[in-house]
Amino acid sequence: MPRLDRLNERYQAHHAGEKQEFVFGGDERGAILAALVGGPGRRVLDLGCRTGALTRHYAPGNDVVGVDVDRDALARAAERLGIETVWADVEDGLPFEDESFDAVVAGELLEHLAEPATAVAHVRRVLRPGGRFAGSVPNAFRLKSRVAYALGRYPQDWDPTRLQLFTPAALRRLLAGFEDVEIRFAIGRFVRLHPRLLANVQLFSARKPAADRAT
């Protein structure tokens, strides 16, 4: 069975029975991503869009293309938001022209990839010079997770489809080919007390160098 079909089956099985996709802190995260994407009038590529829970925040006024390995989720996103959708595996390449997007979003995607650096290279290719790459990953080393690890347990929010754990330093290395890299900790009731230890999510943004042309 081709890899894309295997991924489709895996994620459909993983999300089987969900009536509505839940994204913790989705409204707050979506608002931050929408501000980073900008608009209106931007062409935006949303990688790992699933049913559009985050996409809905930056779709209005922009031309959004959603990509995912789960065909059922894509169908729901298209019906829900009226966006163009493409069934594809971001690690195998993106079926788009060089420098064809103003912004690329990867919300809770990179941690699910075996080779995230490959996907980031594809993102850089399809972004226009000066374009924005934004997204989020779990704050895998927050206090609650550290306590669980110390006790020999999985954290309560453990997801078996996650293949990576990112520290801020690891994120910066992954985005080394970009400029203006920013990482912030967000989502959670007590984030202000100690963002690094108490936030649920790391949000990142970076810009493709203006002089960086696709080859």
Side-chain angles (χ1 to χ4, degrees):
M1 181 185 296
R3 170 183 160 87
L4 186 54
D5 289 288
R6 293 199 306 272
L7 288 170
N8 178 61
E9 286 192 358
R10 181 183 186 189
Y11 280 92
Q12 287 187 4
H14 179 64
H15 292 284
E18 289 184 358
K19 294 183 179 179
Q20 184 173 359
E21 185 178 17
F22 173 74
V23 178
F24 183 78
D27 287 344
E28 183 179 349
R29 193 181 323 182
I32 294 171
L33 291 173
L36 293 171
V37 165
R42 289 191 171 270
R43 181 164 166 78
V44 181
L45 179 61
D46 193 0
L47 301 178
C49 70
R50 290 202 48 73
T51 64
L54 293 176
T55 320
R56 66 185 180 87
H57 292 276
Y58 39 87
N62 290 318
D63 177 15
V64 176
V65 179
V67 171
D68 206 280
V69 296
D70 185 333
R71 299 184 82 165
D72 287 350
L74 282 176
R76 289 170 64 188
E79 180 180 5
R80 178 184 190 182
L81 301 173
I83 63 171
E84 178 185 349
T85 59
V86 175
W87 185 47
D89 176 5
V90 299
E91 292 182 85
D92 283 346
L94 296 171
F96 306 107
E97 297 292 330
D98 294 351
E99 303 176 359
S100 53
F101 290 92
D102 299 300
V104 177
V105 178
E108 306 296 291
L109 169 73
L110 298 177
E111 70 273 14
H112 297 279
L113 305 180
E115 297 182 5
T118 298
V120 171
H122 296 316
V123 168
R124 186 169 168 176
R125 178 185 66 80
V126 301
L127 263 179
R128 295 182 176 126
R132 173 80 67 177
F133 180 32
S136 62
V137 298
N139 183 17
F141 298 98
R142 63 193 175 111
L143 183 60
K144 286 181 66 175
S145 297
R146 294 185 189 197
V147 171
Y149 296 144
L151 295 175
R153 302 171 183 167
Y154 285 124
Q156 289 182 337
D157 62 349
W158 182 255
D159 181 343
T161 66
R162 292 178 184 168
L163 305 179
Q164 309 286 339
L165 300 177
F166 287 102
T167 63
L171 267 180
R172 289 187 181 279
R173 286 194 296 271
L174 190 63
L175 300 170
F178 291 80
E179 296 178 339
D180 303 326
V181 177
E182 296 183 6
I183 297 171
R184 71 177 84 173
F185 293 90
I187 316 301
R189 288 181 295 171
F190 304 109
V191 172
R192 292 182 180 180
L193 297 178
H194 198 303
R196 192 182 188 100
L197 284 180
L198 300 176
N200 287 274
V201 172
Q202 296 180 76
L203 285 123
F204 65 85
S205 66
R207 193 176 298 279
K208 179 176 177 176
D212 187 1
R213 312 296 300 186
T215 57

